[in-house]
Structure formats: structure tokens, C-alpha cells
Amino acid sequence: MQRAYLFFIFWATHLSSFGQVEESFSDGDFKNNPPWAGETTFFSVNAALQLQSNGPNVASTLYLSTANKRCRDTEWNFYAKLDLSITASNWACVYLVSDRSDFKNNPKGYYVKFDGAKKSIDLYKQDSTKHTKI
């Protein structure tokens, strides 16, 4: 069975999200059970037991990913608080499923984009470098 990955991708700081894969962060830890990989030094679990980015003050790309074997007949629920100004160059997206653990290598998968320029939340399919709004 091919592994799929769930990504949190952030184009700015101060984004809080709950992850899929039945991860509630109630243990205050996102590095174990399940293990998350990526830009781990820029994330923490806050007092409200929410995953929070603590990225640099300059615009940057931050992400976390974890393995996910439940891709079929799956429902994704997550909480996102964008405590920032969303613009055309300052936005966030959450990959629901991908064929790679590192999104920077043009994966195949699906993601939700929080687009401030269009004032929308949209679902996209990505096939390498091709991004199609669904």
C-alpha cells in the first residue's frame, strides 16, 4: 500500500490548526504518536492544546507532515485560526493527502487553500506542478 501524507503548509506565522489522523494534541506533543516531521522547530502545542506555528517574523514557508494510511472513505475535520492578514502573497493551505512527505517536491494530492486575495477557502487537486481548483 502506498503511503499518503497530510501536510500543514504555512506562508505566514501564527496559524493554529488541529490535524487529521485523530490527533488532538491533548498530550501536548506533536513529535510522537503520531510522529510529525518537517519544520518542527517552528511549531508548538499551546495552552489550549492547539498546534501553533511560532515561525520567524519574516514571510516563510513552514510545514509539518505525518503518515496517513486512511485515504479512502475518509472525512477530514480540522480547526484553523488565521491570526494574520491574508493577502495574495500571504496565505495558508492544508494538504489533506499527498503521495510525498515533502510538499516542496511537487507532490500529487489534494489541499485546502485559504486565499485572502480572493477571500475564499477552496479545495485543490495537485498533480506535480499542475494545481486545479475543484
Side-chain angles (χ1 to χ4, degrees), residues 12-82:
T13 60
H14 309 299
L15 181 76
S16 300
S17 298
F18 276 110
Q20 190 252 349
V21 190
E22 297 182 35
E23 171 66 273
S24 68
F25 305 108
S26 61
D27 61 358
D29 180 22
F30 67 90
K31 293 182 182 178
N32 299 294
N33 198 25
W36 291 80
E39 309 288 339
T40 59
T41 58
F42 293 113
F43 291 89
S44 65
V45 177
N46 64 25
L49 300 177
Q50 300 167 337
L51 182 66
Q52 176 178 323
S53 69
N54 301 311
N57 291 331
V58 296
S60 59
T61 301
L62 305 175
Y63 79 95
L64 290 177
S65 67
T66 191
N68 175 9
K69 295 181 182 180
R70 295 178 276 176
C71 298
R72 298 179 191 265
D73 301 319
T74 301
E75 178 179 314
W76 287 272
N77 294 292
F78 60 90
Y79 168 80
K81 178 181 177 187
L82 303 174

Side-chain angles (χ1 to χ4, degrees), residues 99-110:
D99 67 339
R100 299 182 184 165
S101 63
D102 180 355
F103 80 95
K104 295 177 184 179
N105 289 321
N106 298 316
K108 293 179 182 178
Y110 294 87

Side-chain angles (χ1 to χ4, degrees), residues 4 8 19 37 50 55 74 76 79 83-84 89-90 93 95 123 126:
F8 289 104
Q50 300 167 337
T74 301
W76 287 272
Y79 168 80
D83 194 12
L84 50 91
S89 61
N90 189 26
C93 65
Y95 274 76
L123 178 64
Q126 181 176 349

